[in-house]
Amino acid sequence: MMTEPMIAGLWTDTVSFFGVHAVAVVLLKIAVVLFALLGLVSYTVLAERRISAFIQDRLGPNRVGWFGLLQPVADSFKFLLKENVMPAHVNRIYYVLAPCIALAPALLTFIVIPFGNTLAGEPMVIANLNVGVLWMFSIASLGVYGIVLGGWASNSKYPFLGGIRSSAQMISYEISMGLSLIPVFMHVGSLNLTEIVNAQSHRWLFLHPNLFLAFLIFMISSFAETNRLPFDLPESEQELVGGYHTEYGSMKFALFFLAEYANMITASALMVTLFFGGWQVPFALPESLSHPVTWLAPFVFQPVGFVYILSFFLKMLLFLGVFIWIRWTLPRFRYDQLMNLGWKVFLPMALANVFVMGIWMALSV
Amino acid sequence: MTIKIERPVLKWHENLYFPAIWGGIKVTSRHFWKTVGNWISGKKYGMITSTGRVTMEYPEEKWAVPNEYRGAPTLVKDPDGRIKCVACQLCEFVCPPRAITITPEPIPGQLPNATVEKWPKEFEIDMLRCIYCGLCEEVCPEEAIFLLKDYSFVGESREELVHNKERLLELGGMRQDKIYKWKNK
Ligand code: SF4
Ligand code: SF4
């Protein structure tokens, strides 16, 4: 990584000289990340369908394209071409607004995630915020409003129950979710996700016993945050007929669906970033990868940048796999069980964890 | 009398959920890998269990329906090639959803089976209405209408799914006849 700062300096100088470039670069990053994210969302849906099928001894969608690989394309066309039915009894404005409110935070939260080190001197994160994690939490919890609003606007009993459950669920996991991360910040001393990743260059955080507990609490809360089984109470199709999105169809339903999967991806990315070294690679890479190359004339970059992005991506896929696998393994928790778990188990556990971490740090100084 | 069901008292490690989660993951992994193994090794279908296959790839593979299966109603001919239906219209009247429409006509004189008074000039069964009840087959005095095993009809319009006389005869084909009731009349 010896020449990296040099290139970075050079490139940044150039960029700030032409202020337009900076905007163009950011727009380019946004476009790439957005499309990658949406593409990943649709393929996560396919993966979920295939994996669930295999787990249940079935085959899953295998018709469109090779082994069903074009199924997401077919699905998206189907969703776009479907008739857009709006039930007569809904509250129209909120009914249309709810899916957008559900999807937007899911996509917004990804902007603070560093998905690579640097490429051509450009940090691989859209917004390197100092309050990265706080931003993440504040925006991510807005997603719940989409669900609550959807349940309210549908003006029908099951979606309404789904909405109520969603808000009750939120207050029971979000406190412990936030508290579970405090040991991480105590350890790293920063809320900036890029710095958290940099702090893990020698040892990934989950190897630390306190932080492993923090990881467990955070992961379980993420399942609740993303409305995934075993905590998909707002949806619970068996008892609430789909819950908050019962009255939704065509593309509006698809937006809720996309939001769920985008949330899953963001949660996986966050877990990778916070506890599993982000884009770091656990072994030494060959030196030759760090030599700058100039395939595309004005852009000088090091191939190692791509390796980091790939490393991040693979770790994220692993967590997506965990999300999917858990869904098809565990039955749904009951409403009160989740609240008990959140308030009586995870909250004290997270608080104790903060305390122990403090003692640990005081002793190790 | 109330029956009180004792809830099992869980040990501390069972209360942690982790043993149960681990047990569940073992079960799902077993099924997953077995299905993937079957799929890759060319067996192609879901895991083959003791109760048989879980997935049947429908258009390529079809169910072998039992002999007494009630599929599409069709008209049959006897081995002499004579249309057995005498246009008595009993099936038309018995048909619960009124799927059958018959237009009878006297059999033109020069045909060998003209001893029969009538035959259907047109015989239509609307497959969109038919409920495959089999009453037409049961009521027919001439054993002229039979429900065969065909169950899958696809059409692009409603008209296509109204089977006319030609189509019904083509589907029904020939059927052995023991009696030849009209032969020497
Ligand atoms: S099977 Fe039943 S419904 Fe169908 S044509 Fe015969 S009598 Fe009518
Ligand atoms: S099919 Fe049988 S019942 Fe129907 S009109 Fe012909 S002879 Fe009569």
Side-chain angles (χ1 to χ4, degrees):
Chain A
M1 255 191 240
M2 33 175 211
T3 46
E4 189 80 358
M6 213 177 76
I7 308 162
L10 211 134
W11 178 237
T12 327
D13 285 352
T14 327
V15 162
S16 50
F17 185 73
F18 307 102
V20 207
H21 271 196
V23 177
V25 166
V26 171
L27 285 182
L28 187 70
K29 275 198 284 190
I30 291 177
V32 170
V33 169
L34 187 66
F35 281 104
L37 203 59
L38 289 178
L40 190 58
V41 164
S42 46
Y43 275 90
T44 313
V45 175
L46 178 66
E48 167 123 50
R49 291 171 68 185
R50 242 24 239 280
I51 291 176
S52 68
F54 286 143
I55 285 178
Q56 298 172 341
D57 305 343
R58 297 180 287 113
L59 268 184
N62 63 346
R63 292 286 158 145
V64 193
W66 314 269
F67 307 110
L69 279 180
L70 291 182
Q71 184 71 35
V73 182
D75 281 347
S76 53
F77 273 109
K78 188 191 102 177
F79 273 127
L80 287 172
L81 296 177
K82 258 191 161 175
E83 188 188 352
N84 208 347
V85 181
M86 193 181 301
H89 55 76
V90 300
N91 189 329
R92 285 170 170 263
I93 298 174
Y94 297 142
Y95 180 81
V96 177
L97 206 59
C100 316
I101 292 186
L103 181 63
L107 296 177
L108 266 181
T109 38
F110 205 86
I111 69 169
V112 290
I113 303 264
F115 50 89
N117 188 9
T118 48
L119 207 56
E122 193 55 43
M124 284 294 105
V125 50
I126 293 175
N128 193 4
L129 296 183
N130 278 333
V131 290
V133 184
L134 293 185
W135 155 272
M136 191 97 190
F137 275 130
S138 53
I139 299 293
S141 39
L142 285 182
V144 176
Y145 288 92
I147 292 175
V148 176
L149 206 59
W152 173 259
S154 295
N155 202 1
S156 131
K157 61 187 166 189
Y158 292 127
F160 183 63
L161 285 174
I164 291 179
R165 284 187 180 192
S166 178
S167 35
Q169 176 172 333
M170 182 185 78
I171 55 170
S172 41
Y173 67 74
E174 260 199 358
I175 298 178
S176 42
M177 188 175 188
L179 281 177
S180 73
L181 289 190
I182 290 187
V184 176
F185 309 138
M186 289 164 78
H187 185 84
V188 179
S190 166
L191 286 174
N192 185 320
L193 286 170
T194 311
E195 279 173 33
I196 292 176
V197 174
N198 288 337
Q200 301 182 63
S201 53
H202 297 301
R203 202 162 80 132
W204 295 359
L205 287 187
F206 80 100
L207 294 169
H208 189 295
N210 275 84
L211 299 181
F212 185 70
L213 184 64
F215 163 67
L216 279 185
I217 299 176
F218 184 76
M219 181 161 99
I220 295 167
S221 311
S222 307
F223 277 93
E225 161 105 358
T226 51
N227 285 325
R228 296 284 297 181
L229 261 158
F231 304 125
D232 68 337
L233 298 168
E235 205 177 318
S236 36
E237 54 269 31
Q238 292 87 354
E239 47 204 275
L240 295 187
V241 210
Y244 62 95
H245 56 53
T246 305
E247 304 283 346
Y248 282 88
S250 73
M251 203 57 208
K252 290 209 256 336
F253 165 75
L255 287 185
F256 274 129
F257 207 66
L258 291 183
E260 179 180 330
Y261 283 87
N263 270 327
M264 240 167 89
I265 292 173
T266 316
S268 310
L270 196 58
M271 280 190 277
V272 169
T273 308
L274 289 172
F275 298 101
F276 286 80
W279 43 262
Q280 313 263 14
V281 190
F283 44 84
L285 289 169
E287 192 64 28
S288 59
L289 282 176
S290 305
H291 292 316
V293 289
T294 47
W295 297 324
L296 299 161
F299 301 102
V300 185
F301 58 86
Q302 298 168 306
V304 76
F306 290 111
V307 177
Y308 289 141
I309 294 179
L310 188 71
S311 145
F312 178 80
F313 188 69
L314 290 181
K315 287 185 209 170
M316 208 166 76
L317 289 192
L318 194 78
F319 274 99
L320 284 177
V322 171
F323 265 107
I324 294 174
W325 207 287
I326 291 288
R327 170 167 179 190
W328 298 98
T329 301
L330 296 185
R332 180 178 305 118
F333 273 57
R334 224 172 37 220
Y335 191 66
D336 56 321
Q337 285 174 328
L338 170 64
M339 309 216 10
N340 271 343
L341 208 62
W343 287 110
K344 291 195 196 154
V345 180
F346 288 142
L347 183 60
M349 216 144 104
L351 282 173
N353 202 14
V354 174
F355 189 67
V356 174
M357 188 73 196
I359 294 178
W360 179 296
M361 285 174 70
L363 292 182
S364 59
V365 168
Chain B
M1 197 186 83
T2 48
I3 301 172
K4 194 159 181 252
I5 295 173
E6 291 294 332
R7 295 213 164 226
V9 181
L10 298 182
K11 296 195 194 70
W12 68 270
H13 59 89
E14 288 170 328
N15 261 324
L16 281 180
Y17 292 112
F18 287 109
I21 293 175
W22 176 242
I25 286 179
K26 273 201 296 199
V27 172
T28 42
S29 315
R30 196 176 68 232
H31 282 257
F32 180 85
W33 290 116
K34 190 149 188 194
T35 318
V36 169
N38 279 342
W39 184 52
I40 290 174
S41 67
K43 279 189 206 151
K44 222 167 134 214
Y45 306 108
M47 189 169 87
I48 296 161
T49 59
S50 54
T51 51
R53 246 181 225 151
V54 177
T55 307
M56 171 171 278
E57 291 196 78
Y58 169 64
E60 289 90 25
E61 286 189 298
K62 290 188 175 165
W63 290 106
V65 294
N67 278 335
E68 42 307 327
Y69 186 81
R70 296 200 305 258
T74 58
L75 288 179
V76 297
K77 292 182 175 178
D78 71 5
D80 292 344
R82 189 182 70 82
I83 298 173
K84 293 179 77 179
C85 173
V86 296
C88 69
Q89 288 177 290
L90 281 179
C91 54
E92 180 170 1
F93 295 124
V94 82
C95 177
R98 302 194 184 170
I100 303 180
T101 321
I102 299 169
T103 322
E105 83 175 345
I107 300 183
Q110 61 275 28
L111 285 181
N113 56 351
T115 44
V116 188
E117 194 180 325
K118 291 187 293 183
W119 74 350
K121 179 173 173 214
E122 191 43 270
F123 196 118
E124 284 180 347
I125 302 187
D126 188 344
M127 294 311 294
L128 296 172
R129 300 198 68 132
C130 175
I131 55 173
Y132 303 87
C133 65
L135 285 182
C136 48
E137 175 176 341
E138 210 166 302
V139 82
C140 179
E142 298 292 328
E143 301 194 348
I145 187 163
F146 281 93
L147 267 65
L148 298 187
K149 290 190 202 167
D150 315 55
Y151 55 85
S152 154
F153 292 101
V154 184
E156 289 180 355
S157 64
R158 281 164 184 273
E159 290 72 38
E160 243 176 272
L161 286 169
V162 178
H163 288 172
N164 59 14
K165 192 167 93 174
E166 282 72 48
R167 180 103 174 91
L168 289 170
L169 286 167
E170 177 194 322
L171 285 170
M174 189 269 285
R175 214 160 162 105
Q176 279 302 331
D177 201 335
K178 291 195 212 89
I179 303 171
Y180 296 100
K181 168 171 160 189
W182 295 99
K183 202 159 188 176
N184 304 311
K185 284 261 156 124

